[in-house]
Amino acid sequence: MTESGQKFKIFKFLKIVASSFLIAALLLFTIASIRTLSLDVNVGLQLARWEKTNNLSLVIDHHQREELLANFKEAIRIRTVSFSEKKSNTTALLQFDSLLRKVFPTVFSSSLVHHELVANYSHLFWVQGSQHDLVPYLLLAHIDVVPASEADGWEAPPFSAQEIDGFIYGRGTIDDKSPVMGILQALEYLLKKGYAPRRGFYIGLGHDEEVSGFKGALNIVRIMKQRGVQLSFVLDEGLAVLDGVISGLQGPAALIGISEKGSATVKLSVSMVPGHSSMPPRETTIGILAAAVKRLEDNPMPRLFGHGPERETFEHLAQKFGLPMKFIMSNLWLFAPLLGRILERKPDTNAFVRTTTAVTMFNAGVKVNIIPSLAEAYVNLRIHSAQSLKEVLDLIQSTVGDQRVKMELVDGFDPLPVSSADEKSFGFQIIKKTVLDMFPTVTVAPGICIGNTDSRHFKDLTNDIYRFAPIWFKPGDAQRFHGINERISKKNYEELVVFYFSLIQNCDIQKLPEPHSSVHEL
Ligand SMILES: *[C@@H]1O[C@H](CO)[C@@H](O)[C@H](O)[C@H]1NC(C)=O
Ligand SMILES: *[C@@H]1O[C@H](CO)[C@@H](O)[C@H](O)[C@H]1NC(C)=O
Ligand SMILES: *[C@@H]1O[C@H](CO)[C@@H](O)[C@H](O)[C@H]1NC(C)=O
Ligand SMILES: [Zn+2]
């Protein structure tokens, strides 16, 4: 074979490689474009014919407005603070109980409603349905709040429920007294209008959600299990309507939480015989532990973007982005790794990409001239849906890679199962329809909760847990949650009442309509 012949052959080979690469790229682009076009997910059900069950409408008049806002403000003024798992304000919790009985007399006297106290301060309501074959659902909320101090710089005292520019300020206005009061206010109005549900439902109000719900929610679950209850779905707090929060997204998005990250708290410790600082060993407990902690920070958990429900969020929202984001988000099968690298740059979006590692406590030493015998650190991890608690613990162990560092799991649980969000998903579609009827310009998409709620205790009673309330979040509002100046607009609180008023009636349909088919022929 001649030299020139060989050169030619190489050239030809390169040409073939190049052209097949081009063809492949073109093919990818075409598939990607078709996906971009056809992924206008879930419009099918919006066009379908729904059985009409929302016969009652709620037009809030002046008197009702005054009344529902006064009730809500009273709820905010009661300091139902959970200080720790062992310490809550029981006086306030009892006061809250009295408030509910006073302002929702019809709920507490209706023959359709069975009310019981659980663990002394939590509430469980059963609203009986006329049609027993319809599987009941549960609306969940909690009456306790995290502490708040005026000294932190609130514009209005945190338990004042003071009004400023159309907003009611106070701890619990978002988390979670607006759903608590909104749900019961809606039920009060429904019952007053003579409503009797077809589909029975429960309302659960926990009193210790902020400190894990081991008394309230867990006992509600225990009672329901004893009674053999199975639930169609659970709706709890969690995500919200995000308005201008996601950059690049056109219009607001209602994100319905379909899962929660798992969690782990790990204690790392190093111990050795104490010594005098005048004759120090080459490495101290502090040095060894600090190095271990540094290795954990230097080696974050693997990037898993696209392997959990965050993928569905992006696919649902893709249509509301301009190019090139629309193209990239519709084609996560190709671009997930790239997007993962972009998202991991900021702490708030990094949380969607991986299991996060946060070193939260580090204690060692008692005296300036003593080598401490013990150094301890606590690491708090939030586990991505595509990983298990066990995998995370194994990874920590191998990253620390030092036998002298003792590792202990303080508490932890796996990520929650992922609830359905397709066209056959009863709870998801009912919530979505209720949102769209009220706010037609909103895009509804499944989302993932970074934090945890009481609803996680209900995973044996249902396959589908949703975490959402139609609370409008604008840029900066997320910081109010557990922070200062927590507030809700009066208008938004009214919307919550209307939302639950409609949602309860919407649940009375026998079954979901068949999806409208034409959109899916692409
Ligand atoms: C709603 O009204 C329609 C028509 O009047 C009636 O057939 C249906 O049973 C009502 N639904 C409920 C849940 O009350
Ligand atoms: C507990 O609640 C009572 C009754 O609402 C209130 O008077 C008291 O100040 C609260 N205590 C704390 C520590 O918040
Ligand atoms: C409820 O209150 C009673 C009486 O104060 C107490 O003995 C009991 O332990 C409480 N139950 C729970 C679950 O807190
Ligand atoms: Zn909450």
Side-chain angles (χ1 to χ4, degrees):
M1 201 180 284
T2 64
E3 220 196 322
S4 65
Q6 199 153 13
K7 259 188 192 153
F8 175 70
K9 276 198 90 168
I10 290 170
F11 181 62
K12 200 174 158 189
F13 173 68
L14 278 179
K15 239 178 100 177
I16 293 170
V17 170
S19 57
S20 45
F21 181 77
L22 254 177
I23 291 170
L26 210 68
L27 204 70
L28 282 182
F29 183 81
T30 315
I31 299 172
S33 309
I34 291 175
R35 277 184 64 91
T36 311
L37 287 174
S38 68
L39 253 171
D40 202 345
V41 254
N42 260 328
V43 287
L45 273 196
Q46 274 161 257
L47 300 173
R49 270 179 102 70
W50 286 66
E51 181 191 358
K52 182 174 162 47
T53 55
N54 51 349
N55 292 351
L56 300 171
S57 63
L58 180 61
V59 184
I60 294 170
D61 62 23
H62 177 73
H63 167 75
Q64 282 170 324
R65 176 164 300 123
E66 301 273 289
E67 174 189 66
L68 67 85
L69 291 174
N71 294 345
F72 180 57
K73 287 180 184 174
E74 267 201 75
I76 299 301
R77 291 188 188 115
I78 303 178
R79 298 167 179 252
T80 52
V81 178
S82 283
F83 296 98
S84 71
E85 260 179 58
K86 295 211 169 59
K87 193 161 175 280
S88 53
N89 189 338
T90 52
T91 318
L93 289 169
L94 288 177
Q95 219 176 337
F96 202 87
D97 179 331
S98 312
L99 172 72
L100 297 182
R101 292 170 202 266
K102 182 184 88 182
V103 301
F104 305 125
T106 320
V107 171
F108 281 88
S109 63
S110 167
S111 61
L112 293 174
V113 183
H114 177 258
H115 167 261
E116 65 198 292
L117 278 176
V118 178
N120 297 334
Y121 310 109
S122 287
H123 299 257
L124 178 60
F125 301 83
W126 160 241
V127 187
Q128 182 190 317
S130 59
Q131 214 172 302
H132 300 292
D133 58 328
L134 298 180
V135 186
Y137 61 99
L138 165 71
L139 303 177
L140 194 61
H142 65 88
I143 59 188
D144 63 323
V145 295
V146 294
S149 160
E150 194 176 349
D152 293 336
W154 284 68
E155 282 172 43
F159 296 97
S160 66
Q162 199 174 307
E163 265 182 47
I164 304 175
D165 295 335
F167 287 88
I168 298 169
Y169 278 66
R171 178 60 84 228
T173 47
I174 301 173
D175 181 14
D176 187 35
K177 285 178 177 168
S178 40
V180 168
M181 298 302 282
I183 292 167
L184 290 178
Q185 188 70 67
L187 180 58
E188 177 76 11
Y189 287 147
L190 279 166
L191 293 170
K192 272 187 170 164
K193 286 172 186 276
Y195 171 75
R198 269 192 202 160
R199 187 183 298 271
F201 62 98
Y202 294 88
I203 298 169
L205 306 178
H207 74 271
D208 61 344
E209 191 272 353
E210 297 293 0
V211 288
S212 293
F214 291 143
K215 291 182 191 146
L218 266 192
N219 279 301
I220 292 176
V221 168
R222 187 180 49 78
I223 289 173
M224 290 181 133
K225 278 188 179 170
Q226 275 169 5
R227 296 179 190 162
V229 173
Q230 279 296 309
L231 297 166
S232 165
F233 70 95
V234 172
L235 175 60
D236 192 12
E237 63 168 338
L239 300 180
V241 184
L242 305 183
D243 188 14
V245 174
I246 306 175
S247 65
L249 181 77
Q250 295 152 15
L255 295 186
I256 300 171
I258 57 171
S259 189
E260 287 172 21
K261 289 184 94 172
S263 172
T265 301
V266 175
K267 179 176 161 186
L268 300 176
S269 58
V270 180
S271 47
M272 56 170 63
V273 286
H276 196 271
S277 63
S278 57
M279 290 172 294
R282 205 177 55 77
E283 284 178 291
T284 60
T285 50
I286 294 180
I288 295 167
L289 188 60
V293 161
K294 186 75 172 69
R295 280 196 291 280
L296 287 177
E297 288 192 340
D298 287 345
N299 299 283
M301 293 283 163
R303 205 184 291 120
L304 292 170
F305 181 75
H307 297 276
E310 72 278 357
R311 185 186 186 107
E312 281 189 74
T313 309
F314 279 75
E315 288 177 345
H316 271 73
L317 295 180
Q319 289 305 310
K320 295 294 169 89
F321 278 86
L323 290 169
M325 280 315 283
K326 178 193 285 199
F327 182 73
I328 291 172
M329 287 165 58
S330 309
N331 294 284
L332 290 183
W333 59 280
L334 188 59
F335 295 118
L338 174 74
L339 208 50
R341 279 170 205 273
I342 297 171
L343 292 174
E344 75 181 356
R345 290 184 198 154
K346 284 194 191 160
D348 53 345
T349 45
N350 180 45
F352 294 100
V353 174
R354 58 165 45 86
T355 296
T356 52
T357 308
V359 184
T360 50
M361 287 166 79
F362 196 111
N363 300 317
V366 286
K367 209 159 179 291
V368 288
N369 59 356
I370 295 175
I371 306 292
S373 57
L374 179 67
E376 288 179 346
Y378 286 82
V379 185
N380 187 246
L381 302 111
R382 300 303 171 98
I383 306 169
H384 187 276
S385 299
Q387 248 178 350
S388 68
L389 175 60
K390 166 131 197 347
E391 284 166 348
V392 166
L393 295 178
D394 289 348
L395 267 172
I396 296 175
Q397 190 131 48
S398 64
T399 304
V400 166
D402 186 337
Q403 296 292 332
R404 296 169 298 178
V405 180
K406 200 176 129 219
M407 189 176 118
E408 200 181 315
L409 178 65
V410 180
D411 57 47
F413 50 88
D414 282 322
L416 274 289
V418 179
S419 306
S420 67
D422 58 23
E423 291 184 329
K424 296 196 165 56
S425 168
F426 185 83
F428 188 85
Q429 293 302 339
I430 294 281
I431 297 164
K432 178 172 175 175
K433 179 186 164 51
T434 311
V435 170
L436 288 176
D437 284 352
M438 287 182 75
F439 311 110
T441 61
V442 164
T443 308
V444 179
I448 173 126
C449 288
I450 304 295
N452 299 110
T453 68
D454 262 354
S455 67
R456 73 177 194 280
H457 299 302
F458 290 79
K459 66 181 196 309
D460 296 338
L461 296 174
T462 182
N463 291 326
D464 288 323
I465 298 175
Y466 302 105
R467 301 136 181 107
F468 172 77
I471 297 173
W472 285 69
F473 270 46
K474 293 206 189 303
D477 282 347
Q479 282 79 346
R480 301 175 192 275
F481 182 88
H482 288 202
I484 61 167
N485 293 323
E486 185 178 345
R487 66 177 195 184
I488 191 170
S489 74
K490 291 192 284 180
K491 174 166 164 282
N492 197 182
Y493 178 65
E494 267 178 45
E495 286 166 345
L496 250 77
V497 176
V498 174
F499 173 80
Y500 293 113
F501 187 93
S502 312
L503 181 93
I504 290 170
Q505 295 185 78
N506 286 340
C507 284
D508 280 331
I509 58 169
Q510 306 277 352
K511 60 178 176 44
L512 288 176
E514 289 297 319
H516 194 275
S517 61
S518 66
V519 239
H520 287 269
E521 278 156 19
L522 253 175

